[in-house]
């Protein structure tokens, strides 16, 4: 669940606390049961064949996921009086609703709902080859 608080008129606002009325309280829901598999490897090397230097690499990766139906949705409660209090921990303020509005299932209206089957596969192959040669421009190496 992800909770999002928006809108609202300010009832109280201090350095560590805020209370808002007629606000919106949105809950985003997600439920899935999936298995992810990843396989990756890389090989490479470098050879010094003066004045040449050769390097090369090969990389291969496979990734995939599949699972049951993934369900996502959003529900919205409006007209809620809510706030925050960061006096205990400024980095993690305590969020609250005044009364019990926004705490019951009947307070929320379903905004969106989606179901999606999960299956995808990806493969990637990467090759690289470089050749360098030492040079001199007069007395300056390059």
């Amino acid at each position: 669940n992800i909770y999002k608080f928006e809108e609202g008129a300010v009832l109280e606002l201090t350095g560590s606390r805020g209370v808002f009325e007629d606000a919106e309280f949105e809950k985003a829901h997600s439920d899935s049961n999936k298995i992810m598999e990843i396989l990756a490897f890389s090989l490479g090397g470098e050879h010094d064949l003066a004045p040449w230097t050769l390097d090369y690499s090969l990389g291969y990766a496979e990734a995939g996921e599949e699972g049951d139906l993934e369900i996502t949705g959003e529900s919205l409660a409006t007209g809620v009086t809510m706030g925050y209090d960061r006096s205990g921990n400024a980095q993690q303020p305590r969020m609250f609703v005044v009364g019990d509005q926004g705490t019951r299932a009947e307070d929320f209206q379903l905004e969106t709902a989606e179901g999606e089957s999960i299956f995808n596969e990806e493969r990637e192959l990467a090759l690289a080859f470089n050749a360098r040669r030492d040079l001199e421009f007069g007395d300056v190496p390059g």
Side-chain angles (χ1 to χ4, degrees):
N1 290 317
I2 299 172
Y3 301 98
K4 184 174 164 183
F5 302 96
E6 290 188 315
E7 308 292 331
V10 177
L11 284 179
E12 175 188 340
L13 192 58
T14 67
S16 62
R17 180 178 162 91
V19 181
F20 308 89
E21 69 177 345
D22 198 26
E24 293 181 353
F25 181 4
E26 181 180 275
K27 294 195 316 185
H29 324 271
S30 178
D31 181 54
S32 67
N33 181 17
K34 59 186 170 185
I35 297 173
M36 299 177 73
E37 293 181 357
I38 300 171
L39 167 70
F41 68 87
S42 63
L43 302 169
E46 183 174 311
H47 294 281
D48 187 4
L49 307 170
W52 290 91
T53 302
L54 308 175
D55 67 74
Y56 48 90
S57 65
L58 165 70
Y60 179 78
E62 286 183 5
E65 66 180 354
E66 67 178 297
D68 301 332
L69 186 67
E70 181 176 61
I71 301 170
T72 59
E74 293 178 356
S75 300
L76 182 67
T78 57
V80 179
T81 300
M82 65 178 72
Y84 67 89
D85 184 349
R86 50 185 223 139
S87 59
N89 182 345
Q91 298 299 318
Q92 292 183 338
R94 183 180 66 85
M95 307 300 283
F96 61 88
V97 294
V98 177
D100 61 357
Q101 188 180 18
T103 61
R104 303 171 305 228
E106 62 262 20
D107 295 337
F108 291 87
Q109 178 179 347
L110 183 63
E111 293 284 300
T112 63
E114 296 179 5
E116 181 179 14
S117 294
I118 300 171
F119 179 79
N120 69 52
E121 289 182 330
E122 295 181 35
R123 289 185 177 87
E124 184 172 325
L125 177 65
L127 302 167
F129 176 78
N130 296 296
R132 294 186 309 270
R133 186 179 193 292
D134 294 331
L135 299 173
E136 286 193 22
F137 299 98
D139 291 335
V140 179

